[in-house]
Amino acid sequence: MSCTCSRAKLSLLQYLVKREEIFVESQEIFSITLPRCYTHAQNSLHLVMPTVFSHPAVPLAIGLGLGTDVIPKRLLVAGALGSILPDLDVLSFYFGVPYGDEFGHRGFSHSFMFAALLAVLGACTSRFLQTSFAKSFLFLFVATGSHGMLDAFTSGGLGIAFFWPWSANRYFAPFRPIKVSPIGLSLFFSHRGIAVLLSELLWIWMPCAFSGLTLAAYRRRSVRRPGLRL
């Protein structure tokens, strides 16, 4: 176990330091609740992504805009969970997988292929989700795929392997205003964590809320005026 942990730490440290993609700020390695050996290094590594709280903003905005007649509550919950699921790839560090590997963080699980596969699996439960197969697939694909899209707008780390398995190349958006988030409660509830939340409020939650409310207003207007159809 200790050997595996050491390899994981070494691969992560060497790769990120080489790529100059880390933020060294405190005296503890990312306090993620994984094996204890991850907490003994003397440098801090802040893995980069929006916080887990902000990824559901996209499916929630769509659900708000289209309403429960189009997006039932069960489908909305499934979409919110799907928008978070790609970040389970942080477990790859436990197995010593390098950050830049196609199975590392922001690799295959952030791709459009992964979003499509997860959407198909979810759509197979469309009866439970109280909607059609096609609607389940489309919503879950957008919800899961939005995870990588948001990560592409962050200000640090590696890019996103959108086109895995056809390409392992990683991509960023040309405009990257979202501050990257630390992993671990001790780092999250810090000055840096607060700055990240404010950044996400400005660049994720406010645009999503505006879009959802605008779409909802248009939907209500179309109900009052039969000539308008969403």
Side-chain angles (χ1 to χ4, degrees):
M1 173 70 75
S2 61
C3 181
T4 301
C5 291
S6 297
R7 287 199 304 270
K9 285 193 297 181
L10 183 60
S11 64
L12 181 59
L13 282 164
Q14 288 179 334
Y15 188 84
L16 294 183
V17 170
K18 181 178 179 181
R19 290 295 302 266
E20 298 181 354
E21 297 288 353
I22 61 172
F23 296 87
V24 180
E25 296 186 2
S26 65
Q27 292 300 312
E28 57 181 21
I29 197 167
F30 50 93
S31 304
I32 186 172
T33 308
L34 283 175
R36 290 181 58 190
C37 61
Y38 278 104
T39 63
H40 297 320
Q42 294 301 310
N43 294 318
S44 170
L45 293 182
H46 291 178
L47 299 184
V48 289
M49 59 188 136
T51 63
V52 70
F53 305 110
S54 290
H55 280 295
V58 174
L60 291 177
I62 297 173
L64 171 64
L66 298 180
T68 55
D69 290 341
V70 179
I71 308 295
K73 292 181 179 179
R74 290 183 180 181
L75 180 58
L76 182 62
V77 171
L81 292 175
S83 71
I84 297 171
L85 193 60
D87 271 341
L88 287 180
D89 63 5
V90 296
L91 295 175
S92 63
F93 293 125
Y94 173 83
F95 299 101
V97 178
Y99 191 173
D101 190 88
E102 60 185 311
F103 295 106
H105 184 48
R106 290 184 166 184
F108 85 100
S109 68
H110 287 53
S111 68
F112 294 130
M113 174 59 77
F114 179 85
L117 292 175
L118 188 65
V120 168
L121 289 176
C124 289
T125 67
S126 57
R127 180 173 297 182
F128 172 77
L129 298 176
Q130 302 175 333
T131 187
S132 66
F133 182 95
K135 192 181 294 183
S136 297
F137 173 83
L138 181 60
F139 181 73
L140 293 175
F141 176 76
V142 171
T144 307
S146 69
H147 185 112
M149 298 297 291
L150 287 181
D151 278 3
F153 285 90
T154 56
S155 60
L158 300 186
I160 313 302
F162 285 119
F163 303 110
W164 179 91
W166 299 281
S167 172
N169 292 337
R170 298 194 177 211
Y171 301 89
F172 272 120
F175 179 55
R176 298 162 58 188
I178 303 174
K179 292 184 180 297
V180 295
S181 172
I183 288 182
L185 292 178
S186 62
L187 299 176
F188 184 77
F189 293 106
S190 63
H191 291 297
R192 176 175 172 78
I194 293 173
V196 169
L197 288 178
L198 291 176
S199 173
E200 293 179 1
L201 177 65
L202 176 62
W203 295 107
I204 300 177
W205 284 103
M206 290 181 65
C208 285
F210 176 79
S211 300
L213 291 172
T214 300
L215 186 57
Y218 179 84
R219 172 171 52 84
R220 295 190 186 97
R221 183 185 176 195
S222 69
V223 171
R224 290 194 295 267
R225 296 177 59 184
L228 294 175
R229 288 282 181 179
L230 188 61

